Amino acid sequence: MNKNWPLWEVFVRSKNGLEHRHFGSLRAADAEMALNNARDVYTRRSEGVSIWVVESKNIKASNPEHNGELFEPAADKAYRHPTFYNLPDDIEHM
Amino acid sequence: MENQEKMNKEKLKSMEAIFEAKIANDEKIEPKDWMPEKYRKTHIRQISQHAHSEIVGMLPEGNWITRAPSLRRKVALLAKVQDEAGHGLYLYSACETLGISREEMYDQLHSGKAKYSSIFNYPTLTWADMGAIGWLVDGAAIINQVPLCNTSFGPYARAMVRVCKEESFHQRQGYEIMMTLCNGTQEQKDMAQDALNRWWWPSLMMFGPTDDESTHTEQSMKWKLKRKTNDELRQQFIDQTVPQADILGLTVPDLDLRFNNDTGHYDFGKIDWDEFWQVVKGHGRCNKERISARKNAWDNGKWVRDAAVAYAEKQSDKEEVKKAV
């Protein structure tokens, strides 16, 4: 038998009130081991209060080569921002 | 056909130009972005060798964990060695994003194809070596590594930020060991001096060959794998370390070492580059021992890795059955 441990992505919540953030990746045989390893590899100095692990193969990522059609359409839609709208200078609370 | 080739070449050239401009503009390169083959290869080489250095670097210190002189020293040394394992793991996964597998990197280390820092091929003979390594070797490593927090490849830069944050305690614990020995008996002070004598020159070699012998400097500067040249970093290390030796009351083993008032830096003696190349080529005192320790750990751990996979498969089969009934 020669099977490699799969790759996992590790997300850590630094403290309550903050979101889980991607911290890095590691190899582990299963989810339980991935959690335990994540604790040892990424939170040795109280960096977190909660850990998520997800097998890397389950993440679908966008392709940077398609960034043009994906993200550029937002660039010419200035009307989505408050500064697009002209108001008199002396108006308050708006 | 010829036209097609010419077009491809031109397209590649313009992509390379866009790529270089991005880096010059301090933008990061992420794993799925297009990159020149040479950039990928250089980064695989450097990041994997960096990872190997962290992993092999555990061995000379592991040698002293069970013989640490007090519980305080023992927990500190254990924590330091555990950090090094962690640093190796950050770097291996950063390197994997470039398309090389973990297994292939291990193979390269075990077969001797990949290098690691030569400093770890020296033996750790006394407890004072734990002090000298923390003070000098980690001190030199920090100088090499801090500029890498701003390097152009995103995963490498992020790993280095974490590494540098954790590493500052390593140097301090080493210096504290030296300090304690130097305030102890004559025998302890002699032991500290002996460790400095043996680790000083190999530490200076950690910055690599002199600038006129170094082949990769220009390209590495462009890609921000380097911010300063080997000689500049070495000088910085000497300038900041000599006063630290003075505080310990130890003598740096270099008869030509003296402060130069004109340059504001220390002048120092000639480095034995023959020794450096001998160790790089595998003829250091511990090269064979280090590699065989790594290889044995990997080979003898195979049944554990296999058992973990078998267990994971069995658990997921059980889940499937549970779902079915």
Side-chain angles (χ1 to χ4, degrees):
Chain A
M1 183 161 66
N2 197 5
K3 275 192 181 161
N4 293 323
W5 290 353
L7 192 66
W8 300 76
E9 300 303 319
V10 178
F11 299 82
V12 176
R13 185 201 295 287
S14 320
K15 60 175 189 183
N16 277 6
L18 295 177
E19 65 278 62
H20 285 77
R21 221 166 46 94
H22 184 236
F23 261 45
S25 32
L26 50 77
R27 298 222 163 241
D30 58 26
E32 201 57 39
M33 187 195 278
L35 266 183
N36 287 332
N37 288 358
R39 168 197 175 265
D40 285 345
V41 177
Y42 291 104
T43 62
R44 285 194 303 282
R45 289 178 175 78
S46 321
E47 287 94 338
V49 294
S50 163
I51 303 174
W52 289 348
V53 289
V54 56
E55 217 182 311
S56 309
K57 69 171 187 205
N58 293 325
I59 291 180
K60 175 75 181 161
S62 66
N63 183 343
E65 276 167 38
H66 302 152
N67 276 7
E69 56 262 46
L70 269 177
F71 303 116
E72 271 166 27
D76 60 3
K77 293 180 177 58
Y79 48 86
R80 284 178 173 158
H81 299 277
T83 48
F84 178 76
Y85 300 93
N86 296 317
L87 297 180
D89 287 344
D90 51 0
I91 195 156
E92 285 179 356
H93 306 300
M94 196 177 282
Chain B
M1 202 57 199
E2 226 168 74
N3 261 343
Q4 182 75 34
E5 236 170 64
K6 205 176 148 198
M7 257 175 63
N8 282 346
K9 255 189 196 161
E10 267 169 27
K11 193 175 170 219
L12 188 69
K13 247 192 168 167
S14 90
M15 282 169 89
E16 277 177 358
I18 294 169
F19 178 85
E20 298 289 350
K22 246 172 115 176
I23 293 181
N25 201 23
D26 263 337
E27 279 178 55
K28 299 289 182 206
I29 307 301
E30 293 297 342
K32 294 186 87 181
D33 292 342
W34 181 86
M35 60 185 78
E37 234 2 73
K38 200 176 161 207
Y39 181 90
R40 184 185 302 278
K41 282 204 178 118
T42 304
H43 277 75
I44 286 178
R45 196 185 61 224
Q46 170 153 346
I47 300 170
S48 66
Q49 291 186 2
H50 197 162
H52 298 328
S53 300
E54 296 284 355
I55 296 301
V56 177
M58 291 192 280
L59 298 170
E61 292 174 308
N63 183 30
W64 280 94
I65 290 176
T66 56
R67 294 178 286 168
S70 68
L71 186 58
R72 186 178 191 272
R73 294 287 183 229
K74 188 170 181 165
V75 291
L77 189 57
L78 261 174
K80 178 176 192 280
V81 172
Q82 197 189 7
D83 275 352
E84 277 149 13
H87 298 171
L89 293 178
Y90 305 154
L91 289 163
Y92 279 132
S93 29
C95 199
E96 276 184 271
T97 66
L98 289 163
I100 184 171
S101 72
R102 185 81 56 113
E103 188 123 76
E104 204 177 337
M105 286 188 266
Y106 290 160
D107 280 345
Q108 290 179 350
L109 173 66
H110 298 159
S111 69
K113 192 181 162 222
K115 301 271 180 259
Y116 53 87
S117 184
S118 280
I119 194 87
F120 303 119
N121 290 317
Y122 289 84
T124 44
L125 304 177
T126 70
W127 170 251
D129 289 11
M130 296 304 98
I133 287 179
W135 173 35
L136 303 171
V137 176
D138 287 271
I142 289 168
I143 289 182
N144 270 329
Q145 287 171 351
V146 166
L148 289 173
C149 297
N150 286 314
T151 193
S152 62
F153 186 55
Y156 194 25
R158 290 192 287 275
M160 290 318 297
V161 168
R162 217 178 286 280
V163 168
C164 288
K165 231 189 243 168
E166 297 181 352
E167 205 127 274
S168 60
F169 110 75
H170 297 183
Q171 198 190 13
R172 291 172 69 111
Q173 69 91 36
Y175 195 77
E176 196 193 82
I177 291 173
M178 293 304 268
M179 194 90 141
T180 307
L181 291 171
C182 290
N183 289 328
T185 63
Q186 187 59 43
E187 210 181 349
Q188 287 172 318
K189 199 170 173 188
D190 292 345
M191 193 163 86
Q193 180 65 54
D194 169 65
L196 172 60
N197 292 348
R198 284 181 289 107
W199 291 97
W200 176 255
W201 292 103
S203 299
L204 297 190
M205 295 175 198
M206 281 178 71
F207 299 95
T210 54
D211 292 350
D212 47 334
E213 298 276 327
S214 179
T215 42
H216 304 297
T217 299
E218 200 186 335
Q219 183 69 83
S220 298
M221 288 268 190
K222 237 172 141 188
W223 288 341
K224 301 182 178 169
L225 276 169
K226 256 186 195 171
R227 288 276 159 121
K228 288 182 183 172
T229 70
N230 295 353
D231 286 336
E232 285 169 338
L233 292 171
R234 189 168 11 247
Q235 187 69 56
Q236 183 188 334
F237 175 77
I238 293 169
D239 289 347
Q240 71 183 46
T241 308
V242 174
Q244 296 168 353
D246 292 342
I247 290 173
L248 293 171
L250 296 178
T251 310
V252 174
D254 177 358
L255 294 173
D256 297 317
L257 186 79
R258 57 183 55 85
F259 191 75
N260 183 329
N261 276 317
D262 297 333
T263 60
H265 298 289
Y266 282 89
D267 294 334
F268 54 96
K270 218 176 149 315
I271 294 171
D272 182 358
W273 291 110
D274 288 341
E275 176 185 321
F276 174 76
W277 290 114
Q278 280 300 312
V279 182
V280 170
K281 284 176 188 147
H283 309 303
R285 285 185 55 189
C286 298
N287 294 57
K288 285 196 184 116
E289 190 185 325
R290 301 289 184 240
I291 290 300
S292 82
R294 280 315 309 154
K295 225 182 139 323
N296 287 342
W298 182 245
D299 294 345
N300 297 336
K302 186 176 185 320
W303 70 272
V304 180
R305 298 192 300 276
D306 289 348
V309 171
Y311 177 78
E313 278 171 356
K314 203 170 156 190
Q315 292 304 310
S316 88
D317 287 350
K318 267 191 198 162
E319 285 292 310
E320 298 279 309
V321 172
K322 242 193 245 166
K323 265 186 228 157
V325 288

